[in-house]
Coordinates of all heavy atoms in Angstrom, one line a residue:
M1 N -14.3 -19.1 15.4 CA -14.1 -17.7 15.2 C -13.8 -17.5 13.7 O -13.0 -18.2 13.1 CB -12.9 -17.3 16.1 CG -12.6 -15.8 15.8 SD -11.0 -15.2 16.5 CE -11.2 -15.2 18.3
A2 N -14.3 -16.4 13.1 CA -14.3 -16.2 11.7 C -12.7 -15.6 11.4 O -12.2 -14.8 12.2 CB -15.2 -15.1 11.3
R3 N -12.1 -16.1 10.4 CA -10.8 -15.6 10.1 C -10.9 -14.4 9.0 O -11.9 -14.4 8.2 CB -10.0 -16.7 9.4 CG -9.8 -17.9 10.4 CD -9.0 -19.0 9.6 NE -7.8 -18.9 10.3 CZ -6.7 -19.6 9.9 NH1 -6.7 -20.3 8.9 NH2 -5.6 -19.5 10.5
K4 N -9.9 -13.6 9.2 CA -9.9 -12.4 8.3 C -9.5 -12.8 6.9 O -8.6 -13.7 6.8 CB -8.9 -11.4 8.9 CG -8.9 -10.1 8.1 CD -8.0 -9.2 8.8 CE -7.9 -7.8 8.0 NZ -7.0 -6.8 8.7
P5 N -10.1 -12.4 5.9 CA -9.7 -12.8 4.5 C -8.3 -12.3 4.3 O -7.8 -11.4 4.6 CB -10.7 -12.1 3.6 CG -11.3 -11.0 4.4 CD -11.2 -11.3 5.8
K6 N -7.5 -13.3 3.7 CA -6.1 -13.1 3.5 C -5.9 -12.8 2.0 O -6.3 -13.5 1.1 CB -5.2 -14.4 3.9 CG -3.9 -14.1 4.2 CD -3.2 -15.2 4.9 CE -1.8 -14.8 5.2 NZ -1.1 -15.9 5.7
G7 N -5.1 -11.8 1.7 CA -4.9 -11.4 0.3 C -3.7 -12.2 -0.3 O -3.2 -13.2 0.3
M8 N -3.3 -11.8 -1.4 CA -2.2 -12.4 -2.1 C -0.8 -12.0 -1.4 O -0.7 -10.9 -1.0 CB -2.2 -12.0 -3.6 CG -3.4 -12.6 -4.3 SD -3.4 -12.1 -6.1 CE -1.9 -13.1 -6.6
H9 N 0.1 -12.9 -1.5 CA 1.5 -12.6 -1.0 C 2.1 -11.7 -2.0 O 1.9 -12.0 -3.3 CB 2.2 -13.9 -0.7 CG 3.5 -13.7 0.0 ND1 4.6 -13.3 -0.7 CD2 3.9 -13.8 1.3 CE1 5.7 -13.1 0.2 NE2 5.1 -13.4 1.4
P10 N 3.0 -10.7 -1.6 CA 3.6 -9.9 -2.6 C 4.4 -10.8 -3.8 O 4.5 -10.4 -4.9 CB 4.6 -9.0 -1.8 CG 3.9 -9.0 -0.5 CD 3.2 -10.4 -0.3
E11 N 4.9 -11.8 -3.2 CA 5.7 -12.7 -4.2 C 4.9 -13.3 -5.2 O 5.3 -13.6 -6.3 CB 6.6 -13.6 -3.4 CG 7.8 -13.0 -2.7 CD 8.7 -12.2 -3.7 OE1 9.0 -12.6 -4.8 OE2 9.2 -11.2 -3.3
E12 N 3.6 -13.6 -4.9 CA 2.7 -14.1 -5.8 C 2.4 -13.1 -6.9 O 2.2 -13.4 -8.1 CB 1.3 -14.6 -5.2 CG 1.5 -15.8 -4.3 CD 0.2 -16.1 -3.5 OE1 -0.3 -15.2 -2.7 OE2 -0.4 -17.2 -3.9
I13 N 2.3 -11.9 -6.4 CA 1.9 -10.8 -7.4 C 3.1 -10.6 -8.4 O 3.0 -10.5 -9.5 CB 1.6 -9.5 -6.7 CG1 0.4 -9.8 -5.7 CG2 1.4 -8.4 -7.6 CD1 0.1 -8.6 -4.8
V14 N 4.4 -10.6 -7.8 CA 5.6 -10.4 -8.6 C 5.7 -11.6 -9.6 O 6.1 -11.4 -10.8 CB 6.8 -10.3 -7.7 CG1 8.1 -10.3 -8.6 CG2 6.7 -8.9 -6.9
A15 N 5.4 -12.7 -9.1 CA 5.5 -14.0 -10.0 C 4.5 -13.8 -11.2 O 4.8 -14.3 -12.3 CB 5.1 -15.2 -9.2
H16 N 3.3 -13.3 -11.0 CA 2.3 -13.1 -12.0 C 3.0 -12.2 -13.1 O 2.9 -12.5 -14.3 CB 1.1 -12.4 -11.5 CG 0.2 -11.7 -12.5 ND1 -0.7 -12.6 -13.3 CD2 0.1 -10.5 -13.0 CE1 -1.3 -11.9 -14.2 NE2 -0.9 -10.6 -14.0
F17 N 3.7 -11.1 -12.7 CA 4.2 -10.2 -13.7 C 5.4 -10.8 -14.3 O 5.7 -10.6 -15.6 CB 4.6 -8.9 -13.1 CG 3.4 -8.1 -12.7 CD1 3.0 -7.9 -11.4 CD2 2.5 -7.7 -13.6 CE1 1.8 -7.1 -11.1 CE2 1.2 -7.1 -13.4 CZ 1.0 -6.7 -12.1
R18 N 6.2 -11.6 -13.7 CA 7.3 -12.3 -14.2 C 6.8 -13.3 -15.3 O 7.4 -13.5 -16.4 CB 8.1 -13.1 -13.2 CG 9.0 -12.1 -12.4 CD 9.9 -12.9 -11.4 NE 10.6 -12.0 -10.6 CZ 10.9 -12.1 -9.3 NH1 10.5 -13.3 -8.8 NH2 11.6 -11.3 -8.7
M19 N 5.8 -14.0 -15.1 CA 5.2 -14.9 -16.0 C 4.6 -14.2 -17.2 O 4.8 -14.7 -18.4 CB 4.2 -15.8 -15.4 CG 4.8 -16.9 -14.5 SD 3.6 -18.0 -13.9 CE 2.5 -17.0 -12.9
K20 N 4.0 -13.1 -17.0 CA 3.3 -12.4 -18.1 C 4.2 -11.5 -18.9 O 4.1 -11.4 -20.1 CB 2.1 -11.6 -17.5 CG 1.2 -11.0 -18.5 CD 0.0 -10.5 -17.9 CE -1.0 -9.9 -18.9 NZ -2.3 -9.5 -18.3
Y21 N 5.1 -10.8 -18.2 CA 5.9 -9.8 -18.9 C 7.4 -10.1 -19.0 O 8.2 -9.4 -19.5 CB 5.7 -8.4 -18.3 CG 4.3 -7.9 -18.3 CD1 3.5 -7.9 -17.3 CD2 3.8 -7.3 -19.5 CE1 2.1 -7.5 -17.4 CE2 2.5 -6.9 -19.7 CZ 1.7 -7.0 -18.6 OH 0.4 -6.5 -18.7
G22 N 7.8 -11.2 -18.2 CA 9.2 -11.5 -18.2 C 9.9 -10.9 -17.0 O 10.9 -11.6 -16.4
S23 N 9.5 -9.8 -16.4 CA 10.0 -9.2 -15.2 C 9.2 -8.1 -14.7 O 8.3 -7.6 -15.4 CB 11.4 -8.6 -15.5 OG 11.3 -7.5 -16.3
L24 N 9.3 -7.7 -13.4 CA 8.6 -6.7 -12.8 C 9.0 -5.3 -13.5 O 8.1 -4.4 -13.7 CB 8.8 -6.6 -11.4 CG 7.9 -5.6 -10.6 CD1 6.4 -5.9 -10.8 CD2 8.2 -5.6 -9.0
S25 N 10.3 -5.2 -14.0 CA 10.7 -4.0 -14.6 C 10.1 -3.8 -15.9 O 9.8 -2.7 -16.3 CB 12.3 -4.3 -14.8 OG 12.8 -3.1 -15.4
A26 N 9.8 -4.9 -16.7 CA 9.1 -4.7 -17.9 C 7.7 -4.2 -17.8 O 7.2 -3.4 -18.6 CB 9.1 -6.1 -18.6
Y27 N 7.0 -4.8 -16.7 CA 5.7 -4.2 -16.5 C 5.7 -2.7 -16.0 O 4.9 -2.0 -16.5 CB 5.0 -5.1 -15.3 CG 3.7 -4.5 -14.9 CD1 2.6 -4.5 -15.8 CD2 3.6 -3.9 -13.7 CE1 1.4 -4.0 -15.4 CE2 2.3 -3.3 -13.2 CZ 1.3 -3.4 -14.2 OH 0.0 -2.8 -13.8
A28 N 6.7 -2.5 -15.2 CA 6.9 -1.0 -14.8 C 7.0 -0.1 -16.0 O 6.5 1.0 -16.0 CB 8.0 -0.9 -13.8
K29 N 7.9 -0.4 -17.0 CA 8.1 0.3 -18.1 C 6.8 0.4 -19.0 O 6.5 1.5 -19.5 CB 9.2 -0.4 -19.0 CG 10.5 -0.1 -18.6 CD 11.6 -0.7 -19.5 CE 12.9 -0.6 -18.9 NZ 14.0 -1.3 -19.7
K30 N 6.0 -0.7 -19.0 CA 4.7 -0.7 -19.7 C 3.8 0.4 -19.2 O 3.1 1.0 -19.9 CB 4.1 -2.0 -19.7 CG 2.8 -2.2 -20.3 CD 2.1 -3.5 -20.1 CE 0.8 -3.5 -20.8 NZ -0.3 -3.0 -20.0
I31 N 3.7 0.5 -17.9 CA 2.9 1.5 -17.3 C 3.5 2.9 -17.1 O 2.8 3.8 -16.5 CB 2.1 0.9 -16.0 CG1 3.1 0.7 -14.8 CG2 1.4 -0.3 -16.2 CD1 2.6 0.4 -13.6
G32 N 4.8 2.9 -17.4 CA 5.4 4.3 -17.2 C 5.8 4.6 -15.8 O 5.9 5.8 -15.5
K33 N 6.1 3.7 -15.0 CA 6.5 3.9 -13.7 C 7.9 3.2 -13.4 O 8.3 2.4 -14.1 CB 5.5 3.3 -12.6 CG 4.1 3.8 -12.9 CD 4.0 5.2 -12.5 CE 2.5 5.8 -12.7 NZ 2.4 7.1 -12.5
T34 N 8.5 3.6 -12.3 CA 9.8 2.9 -12.0 C 9.5 1.7 -11.3 O 8.5 1.3 -10.8 CB 10.6 3.7 -11.1 OG1 10.1 3.8 -9.8 CG2 10.9 5.2 -11.6
V35 N 10.5 0.7 -11.5 CA 10.3 -0.7 -10.8 C 10.2 -0.5 -9.3 O 9.5 -1.3 -8.7 CB 11.3 -1.6 -11.2 CG1 12.8 -1.2 -10.7 CG2 11.1 -3.0 -10.9
H36 N 10.8 0.5 -8.8 CA 10.9 0.6 -7.3 C 9.4 1.2 -6.8 O 9.0 0.7 -5.7 CB 11.9 1.7 -6.9 CG 13.2 1.2 -7.2 ND1 13.9 0.1 -6.5 CD2 14.1 1.7 -8.1 CE1 15.1 0.0 -7.0 NE2 15.2 0.9 -7.9
A37 N 8.8 2.0 -7.7 CA 7.4 2.4 -7.4 C 6.5 1.3 -7.3 O 5.6 1.2 -6.5 CB 7.0 3.6 -8.3
V38 N 6.6 0.5 -8.4 CA 5.7 -0.7 -8.5 C 5.9 -1.7 -7.4 O 5.0 -2.1 -6.7 CB 5.8 -1.4 -9.9 CG1 5.0 -2.6 -9.9 CG2 5.5 -0.4 -11.0
S39 N 7.1 -2.0 -7.0 CA 7.5 -2.8 -6.0 C 7.0 -2.3 -4.7 O 6.3 -3.1 -3.8 CB 9.0 -3.1 -5.9 OG 9.3 -3.9 -4.9
N40 N 7.1 -1.1 -4.4 CA 6.6 -0.5 -3.1 C 5.1 -0.5 -3.0 O 4.6 -0.8 -2.0 CB 7.2 1.0 -3.0 CG 8.7 1.0 -2.6 OD1 9.2 0.0 -2.1 ND2 9.4 2.1 -2.9
A41 N 4.5 -0.3 -4.2 CA 3.0 -0.3 -4.2 C 2.4 -1.7 -3.9 O 1.4 -1.8 -3.2 CB 2.4 0.2 -5.6
I42 N 3.2 -2.7 -4.3 CA 2.8 -4.0 -4.1 C 2.9 -4.4 -2.7 O 2.2 -5.1 -2.0 CB 3.5 -5.0 -5.0 CG1 3.1 -4.9 -6.5 CG2 3.4 -6.5 -4.6 CD1 4.0 -5.6 -7.6
R43 N 4.0 -3.9 -2.0 CA 4.3 -4.3 -0.7 C 3.9 -3.5 0.5 O 3.7 -3.8 1.6 CB 5.8 -4.5 -0.5 CG 6.4 -5.6 -1.4 CD 7.8 -5.8 -1.4 NE 8.4 -7.0 -1.9 CZ 8.4 -7.3 -3.2 NH1 8.0 -6.5 -4.0 NH2 8.8 -8.5 -3.5
Q44 N 3.6 -2.1 0.1 CA 3.2 -1.2 1.2 C 1.8 -0.6 1.0 O 1.5 -0.1 0.0 CB 4.2 0.0 1.2 CG 5.6 -0.3 1.5 CD 6.5 0.8 1.4 OE1 6.2 2.0 1.4 NE2 7.9 0.5 1.2
Q45 N 1.0 -0.7 2.1 CA -0.4 -0.1 2.0 C -0.4 1.4 1.9 O 0.4 2.0 2.5 CB -1.0 -0.5 3.3 CG -2.5 0.0 3.4 CD -3.1 -0.5 4.8 OE1 -2.6 -1.0 5.5 NE2 -4.5 0.0 4.9
G46 N -1.1 1.8 0.9 CA -1.3 3.2 0.7 C -0.1 3.9 0.1 O -0.1 5.1 -0.1
Y47 N 0.8 3.2 -0.5 CA 2.0 3.8 -1.1 C 1.7 4.5 -2.4 O 2.0 5.7 -2.5 CB 3.2 2.8 -1.5 CG 4.4 3.4 -2.0 CD1 5.3 4.0 -1.2 CD2 4.5 3.4 -3.5 CE1 6.5 4.5 -1.8 CE2 5.7 3.9 -4.0 CZ 6.6 4.5 -3.2 OH 7.7 5.1 -3.8
S48 N 0.9 3.9 -3.3 CA 0.5 4.5 -4.5 C -0.8 3.8 -4.9 O -0.8 2.8 -5.5 CB 1.5 4.4 -5.6 OG 1.0 4.9 -6.8
L49 N -1.9 4.4 -4.6 CA -3.2 3.9 -4.9 C -3.5 3.7 -6.5 O -4.0 2.7 -6.8 CB -4.4 4.7 -4.4 CG -4.4 4.8 -2.8 CD1 -5.5 5.8 -2.3 CD2 -4.6 3.4 -2.2
P50 N -3.1 4.6 -7.3 CA -3.2 4.4 -8.8 C -2.5 3.3 -9.3 O -3.0 2.4 -10.0 CB -2.6 5.7 -9.3 CG -2.7 6.8 -8.3 CD -2.5 6.1 -7.0
I51 N -1.2 3.0 -8.7 CA -0.4 1.9 -9.2 C -1.1 0.6 -8.6 O -1.2 -0.4 -9.3 CB 1.1 1.9 -8.7 CG1 1.8 3.1 -9.4 CG2 1.8 0.7 -9.0 CD1 3.1 3.3 -9.0
Q52 N -1.5 0.5 -7.4 CA -2.2 -0.6 -6.8 C -3.4 -1.0 -7.6 O -3.7 -2.1 -7.9 CB -2.6 -0.5 -5.4 CG -1.3 -0.4 -4.5 CD -1.7 0.1 -3.1 OE1 -2.6 0.7 -2.8 NE2 -0.7 -0.2 -2.2
R53 N -4.2 0.0 -8.2 CA -5.3 -0.2 -9.0 C -4.9 -0.8 -10.3 O -5.6 -1.7 -10.8 CB -6.2 1.0 -9.0 CG -6.9 1.4 -7.7 CD -7.9 2.5 -7.9 NE -8.6 2.7 -6.7 CZ -8.5 3.7 -5.9 NH1 -7.8 4.8 -6.3 NH2 -9.3 3.8 -4.8
L54 N -3.8 -0.2 -11.0 CA -3.4 -0.8 -12.2 C -2.9 -2.2 -12.0 O -3.1 -3.0 -12.9 CB -2.2 0.0 -12.7 CG -2.6 1.4 -13.3 CD1 -1.3 2.2 -13.6 CD2 -3.4 1.3 -14.5
V55 N -2.2 -2.6 -10.9 CA -1.8 -3.8 -10.7 C -2.9 -4.8 -10.6 O -3.0 -6.0 -11.2 CB -0.9 -4.0 -9.4 CG1 -0.7 -5.4 -8.9 CG2 0.4 -3.3 -9.6
A56 N -3.9 -4.4 -9.8 CA -5.1 -5.3 -9.7 C -5.9 -5.5 -11.0 O -6.3 -6.6 -11.3 CB -6.2 -4.7 -8.7
K57 N -6.0 -4.4 -11.8 CA -6.7 -4.5 -13.1 C -5.9 -5.4 -14.1 O -6.5 -6.1 -14.8 CB -6.7 -3.1 -13.7 CG -7.5 -3.0 -15.0 CD -7.6 -1.6 -15.5 CE -8.3 -1.5 -16.8 NZ -8.4 -0.1 -17.4
D58 N -4.5 -5.3 -14.1 CA -3.8 -6.2 -14.9 C -4.0 -7.7 -14.5 O -3.8 -8.6 -15.4 CB -2.3 -5.8 -14.9 CG -1.5 -6.6 -16.0 OD1 -1.4 -6.0 -17.1 OD2 -0.9 -7.6 -15.6
M59 N -4.2 -7.9 -13.3 CA -4.4 -9.3 -12.9 C -5.9 -9.8 -13.0 O -6.3 -10.9 -12.6 CB -3.9 -9.4 -11.4 CG -2.5 -9.2 -11.2 SD -2.0 -9.2 -9.4 CE -2.1 -10.9 -9.2
N60 N -6.8 -8.9 -13.5 CA -8.1 -9.1 -13.7 C -8.8 -9.4 -12.3 O -9.6 -10.3 -12.2 CB -8.4 -10.4 -14.7 CG -8.0 -10.0 -16.1 OD1 -8.1 -8.9 -16.5 ND2 -7.4 -11.0 -16.8
M61 N -8.4 -8.6 -11.4 CA -9.0 -8.7 -10.1 C -9.3 -7.3 -9.6 O -8.9 -6.3 -10.1 CB -7.9 -9.4 -9.1 CG -7.6 -10.7 -9.5 SD -6.2 -11.4 -8.4 CE -7.2 -11.8 -7.0
L62 N -10.1 -7.2 -8.5 CA -10.5 -6.0 -7.8 C -9.3 -5.8 -6.8 O -8.8 -6.7 -6.3 CB -11.8 -6.0 -7.2 CG -12.9 -6.1 -8.2 CD1 -14.2 -6.3 -7.4 CD2 -13.0 -5.0 -9.1
P63 N -9.0 -4.5 -6.5 CA -8.0 -4.2 -5.4 C -8.3 -5.0 -4.1 O -7.4 -5.4 -3.4 CB -8.1 -2.8 -5.2 CG -8.5 -2.2 -6.5 CD -9.5 -3.2 -7.0
H64 N -9.7 -5.1 -3.7 CA -10.0 -5.8 -2.6 C -9.7 -7.2 -2.6 O -9.4 -7.9 -1.6 CB -11.6 -5.6 -2.3 CG -11.9 -6.5 -1.1 ND1 -12.5 -7.7 -1.3 CD2 -11.9 -6.2 0.2 CE1 -12.9 -8.1 -0.1 NE2 -12.5 -7.2 0.8
D65 N -9.7 -7.8 -3.8 CA -9.3 -9.3 -3.9 C -7.8 -9.5 -3.7 O -7.4 -10.5 -3.3 CB -9.8 -9.8 -5.3 CG -11.4 -9.7 -5.4 OD1 -12.0 -9.9 -4.4 OD2 -11.8 -9.5 -6.6
V66 N -7.1 -8.5 -4.1 CA -5.6 -8.7 -4.1 C -5.1 -8.3 -2.7 O -4.4 -9.1 -2.1 CB -4.9 -7.8 -5.1 CG1 -3.4 -7.9 -5.0 CG2 -5.4 -8.0 -6.5
W67 N -5.7 -7.2 -2.1 CA -5.3 -6.8 -0.7 C -6.5 -6.5 0.0 O -6.9 -5.4 0.3 CB -4.5 -5.5 -0.8 CG -3.2 -5.5 -1.7 CD1 -2.0 -6.0 -1.2 CD2 -3.1 -5.0 -3.0 NE1 -1.1 -6.0 -2.3 CE2 -1.7 -5.2 -3.3 CE3 -3.9 -4.3 -4.0 CZ2 -1.1 -4.9 -4.6 CZ3 -3.3 -4.0 -5.2 CH2 -2.0 -4.2 -5.4
P68 N -7.2 -7.6 0.5 CA -8.5 -7.4 1.3 C -8.2 -6.5 2.6 O -9.2 -5.8 3.0 CB -8.9 -8.8 1.6 CG -7.8 -9.6 1.5 CD -6.8 -9.0 0.5
E69 N -7.1 -6.6 3.2 CA -6.9 -5.7 4.3 C -6.6 -4.2 4.1 O -6.6 -3.4 5.0 CB -5.8 -6.3 5.3 CG -4.4 -6.3 4.5 CD -4.2 -7.6 3.7 OE1 -5.1 -8.4 3.6 OE2 -3.2 -7.6 3.1
W70 N -6.3 -3.9 2.8 CA -6.1 -2.6 2.4 C -7.2 -1.9 1.8 O -7.2 -0.6 1.8 CB -4.9 -2.5 1.4 CG -3.5 -3.1 1.9 CD1 -3.3 -3.6 3.2 CD2 -2.4 -3.1 1.2 NE1 -2.0 -3.9 3.2 CE2 -1.4 -3.8 2.0 CE3 -2.0 -2.8 -0.1 CZ2 0.0 -3.9 1.6 CZ3 -0.7 -3.0 -0.6 CH2 0.3 -3.6 0.3
F71 N -8.2 -2.6 1.3 CA -9.3 -1.9 0.5 C -10.6 -2.5 1.0 O -10.7 -3.7 1.4 CB -9.2 -2.3 -1.0 CG -8.2 -1.5 -1.6 CD1 -6.9 -2.1 -1.8 CD2 -8.3 -0.3 -2.2 CE1 -5.8 -1.4 -2.4 CE2 -7.2 0.4 -2.8 CZ -6.0 -0.2 -2.9
L72 N -11.7 -1.6 1.0 CA -13.0 -2.1 1.3 C -13.6 -2.8 0.0 O -13.0 -2.7 -1.0 CB -13.8 -0.9 1.7 CG -13.3 -0.1 2.9 CD1 -14.2 1.1 3.3 CD2 -13.3 -1.0 4.1
Y73 N -14.8 -3.4 0.2 CA -15.4 -4.1 -0.9 C -15.6 -3.2 -2.1 O -15.6 -3.7 -3.1 CB -16.8 -4.7 -0.4 CG -16.6 -5.9 0.5 CD1 -16.7 -5.8 1.9 CD2 -16.0 -7.1 0.0 CE1 -16.6 -6.8 2.7 CE2 -15.9 -8.2 0.9 CZ -16.1 -8.0 2.2 OH -15.9 -9.1 3.1
D74 N -15.9 -2.0 -1.9 CA -16.3 -1.0 -3.0 C -15.1 -0.4 -3.6 O -15.1 0.4 -4.5 CB -17.2 0.1 -2.5 CG -16.6 1.0 -1.5 OD1 -15.5 0.7 -1.0 OD2 -17.3 2.0 -1.1
G75 N -13.8 -0.8 -3.1 CA -12.5 -0.3 -3.7 C -11.9 0.9 -3.0 O -10.9 1.3 -3.5
T76 N -12.6 1.3 -2.0 CA -12.2 2.4 -1.3 C -11.0 2.0 -0.3 O -11.1 1.0 0.3 CB -13.3 3.0 -0.3 OG1 -14.4 3.1 -1.1 CG2 -12.9 4.4 0.2
P77 N -9.9 2.7 -0.4 CA -8.8 2.3 0.5 C -9.1 2.5 2.0 O -9.8 3.5 2.4 CB -7.6 3.2 0.1 CG -8.3 4.3 -0.5 CD -9.5 4.0 -1.1
V78 N -8.6 1.6 2.8 CA -8.7 1.7 4.3 C -7.6 2.8 4.7 O -6.5 2.8 4.2 CB -8.4 0.3 4.9 CG1 -8.4 0.5 6.4 CG2 -9.5 -0.6 4.5
S79 N -8.0 3.6 5.5 CA -7.1 4.7 6.0 C -5.9 4.1 6.7 O -6.1 3.2 7.5 CB -7.9 5.7 6.9 OG -7.0 6.7 7.5
V80 N -4.7 4.7 6.5 CA -3.5 4.2 7.1 C -3.0 5.2 8.2 O -2.1 4.9 8.9 CB -2.4 4.0 6.1 CG1 -2.6 2.8 5.2 CG2 -2.1 5.2 5.3
R81 N -3.8 6.3 8.3 CA -3.3 7.3 9.4 C -3.7 6.7 10.7 O -4.9 6.3 10.9 CB -4.0 8.6 9.1 CG -3.5 9.3 7.9 CD -4.1 10.6 7.8 NE -3.4 11.4 6.7 CZ -2.7 12.4 6.8 NH1 -2.4 12.9 8.0 NH2 -2.1 13.0 5.8
A82 N -2.9 6.9 11.6 CA -3.1 6.5 13.0 C -3.5 7.7 13.8 O -3.0 8.8 13.5 CB -1.8 5.9 13.6
G83 N -4.3 7.6 14.9 CA -4.6 8.7 15.7 C -3.3 9.0 16.5 O -2.8 8.2 17.2
R84 N -2.8 10.2 16.2 CA -1.6 10.6 16.9 C -1.8 11.6 17.9 O -2.5 12.6 17.8 CB -0.6 11.2 15.8 CG -0.3 10.0 14.8 CD 0.8 10.5 13.9 NE 1.2 9.4 13.0 CZ 1.5 9.5 11.7 NH1 1.5 10.7 11.2 NH2 1.7 8.5 11.0
I85 N -0.9 11.5 19.0 CA -1.0 12.5 20.1 C 0.4 13.2 20.0 O 1.4 12.5 20.0 CB -1.2 11.7 21.5 CG1 -2.6 11.1 21.5 CG2 -1.1 12.8 22.6 CD1 -2.8 10.2 22.6
S86 N 0.3 14.5 20.1 CA 1.6 15.2 20.0 C 2.4 14.9 21.2 O 1.9 15.0 22.3 CB 1.3 16.7 19.9 OG 2.5 17.4 19.9
T87 N 3.7 14.6 21.0 CA 4.7 14.4 22.0 C 5.5 15.6 22.3 O 6.4 15.6 23.2 CB 5.5 13.2 21.8 OG1 6.2 13.4 20.6 CG2 4.7 11.9 21.7
V88 N 5.3 16.7 21.6 CA 6.1 17.9 21.7 C 5.5 18.7 22.7 O 4.2 19.1 22.6 CB 6.3 18.6 20.3 CG1 7.0 19.9 20.5 CG2 6.8 17.7 19.3
E89 N 6.3 19.2 23.6 CA 5.7 20.2 24.7 C 5.5 21.5 24.0 O 6.3 22.0 23.3 CB 6.7 20.2 25.8 CG 6.7 19.0 26.6 CD 7.6 19.1 27.9 OE1 7.3 20.1 28.6 OE2 8.5 18.4 28.1
S90 N 4.5 22.1 24.4 CA 4.2 23.5 23.9 C 5.1 24.5 24.6 O 5.6 24.3 25.7 CB 2.8 23.9 24.0 OG 2.4 24.0 25.4
S91 N 5.3 25.6 24.1 CA 6.2 26.7 24.7 C 5.6 27.2 26.0 O 6.4 27.4 26.9 CB 6.3 27.9 23.8 OG 5.1 28.4 23.5
D92 N 4.3 27.1 26.2 CA 3.7 27.4 27.5 C 4.1 26.4 28.6 O 4.5 26.8 29.7 CB 2.2 27.4 27.5 CG 1.7 28.6 26.6 OD1 2.5 29.6 26.4 OD2 0.5 28.5 26.1
D93 N 4.2 25.0 28.2 CA 4.6 24.1 29.2 C 6.1 24.3 29.5 O 6.5 24.1 30.6 CB 4.4 22.7 28.6 CG 3.0 22.3 28.4 OD1 2.1 22.9 29.1 OD2 2.7 21.5 27.5
L94 N 6.9 24.7 28.5 CA 8.4 24.9 28.8 C 8.5 26.1 29.7 O 9.4 26.1 30.6 CB 9.0 25.1 27.4 CG 9.1 23.9 26.6 CD1 9.7 24.4 25.2 CD2 9.9 22.7 27.1
R95 N 7.7 27.2 29.5 CA 7.8 28.4 30.4 C 7.5 27.9 31.8 O 8.0 28.4 32.7 CB 7.0 29.5 29.9 CG 7.6 30.1 28.5 CD 6.8 31.3 28.2 NE 7.5 31.8 26.9 CZ 6.8 31.9 25.8 NH1 5.5 31.4 25.8 NH2 7.4 32.3 24.7
R96 N 6.4 27.1 32.0 CA 6.0 26.8 33.4 C 7.1 26.0 34.1 O 7.2 26.0 35.3 CB 4.7 25.9 33.2 CG 3.5 26.7 33.7 CD 2.3 25.8 33.7 NE 1.6 26.0 32.4 CZ 1.2 25.0 31.6 NH1 1.3 23.8 31.9 NH2 0.5 25.4 30.5
N97 N 7.8 25.2 33.3 CA 8.9 24.4 33.8 C 10.2 25.1 34.1 O 11.1 24.6 34.6 CB 9.2 23.1 33.0 CG 8.0 22.2 32.9 OD1 7.2 22.1 33.9 ND2 7.9 21.5 31.9
G98 N 10.2 26.4 33.7 CA 11.4 27.2 33.9 C 12.5 27.1 32.8 O 13.6 27.4 33.0
V99 N 12.0 26.4 31.7 CA 12.9 26.2 30.6 C 12.7 27.3 29.6 O 11.6 27.7 29.3 CB 12.7 24.9 30.0 CG1 13.7 24.6 28.8 CG2 12.8 23.7 31.0
A100 N 13.8 27.9 29.0 CA 13.7 29.0 28.0 C 13.0 28.4 26.8 O 13.3 27.3 26.4 CB 15.1 29.4 27.7
A101 N 12.1 29.2 26.2 CA 11.4 28.7 25.1 C 12.1 29.1 23.7 O 12.8 30.0 23.5 CB 9.9 29.5 25.0

């Protein structure tokens, strides 16, 4: 069975910036973002696509190479929205059940 390509671990990415800039905070200052925004972009899919692209560019990689499960080959992000079904009852349903709307 074929295995799904595995991207870089977030700590590998942080280690890259520690070696190159001394700290993740120094890299965040360089690009004009907060360290929390950069850290969240490294760890959370779809948190900040511009920051994720800057991170990949600084590593001389494509976003797909860093996070293959988050990006398609052409650099388009994979959608993080789930198909949601409303769990809230409409007012018509409440009226049918005899509950005040």
Side-chain angles (χ1 to χ4, degrees):
M1 181 193 286
R3 298 182 107 186
K4 187 175 180 180
K6 200 168 183 185
M8 295 180 70
H9 191 278
E11 289 303 319
E12 291 178 296
I13 300 168
V14 172
H16 165 80
F17 292 116
R18 284 186 184 143
M19 289 188 294
K20 190 169 180 180
Y21 297 101
S23 69
L24 188 60
S25 179
Y27 174 70
K29 283 181 186 177
K30 177 185 178 280
I31 64 170
K33 304 293 181 187
T34 67
V35 68
H36 298 290
V38 174
S39 179
N40 287 338
I42 290 171
R43 289 174 169 78
Q44 296 177 21
Q45 180 178 3
Y47 181 80
S48 174
L49 297 174
I51 295 175
Q52 290 171 341
R53 289 188 175 116
L54 285 172
V55 166
K57 183 178 179 182
D58 189 84
M59 298 176 72
N60 295 324
M61 299 174 80
L62 296 172
H64 176 265
D65 297 329
V66 180
W67 301 283
E69 62 278 357
W70 296 1
F71 290 90
L72 302 175
Y73 290 105
D74 63 354
T76 316
V78 174
S79 176
V80 293
R81 291 186 174 247
R84 296 190 177 142
I85 299 170
S86 177
T87 57
V88 178
E89 292 186 50
S90 68
S91 58
D92 292 336
D93 293 336
L94 294 172
R95 286 190 184 112
R96 255 186 261 129
N97 292 335
V99 179

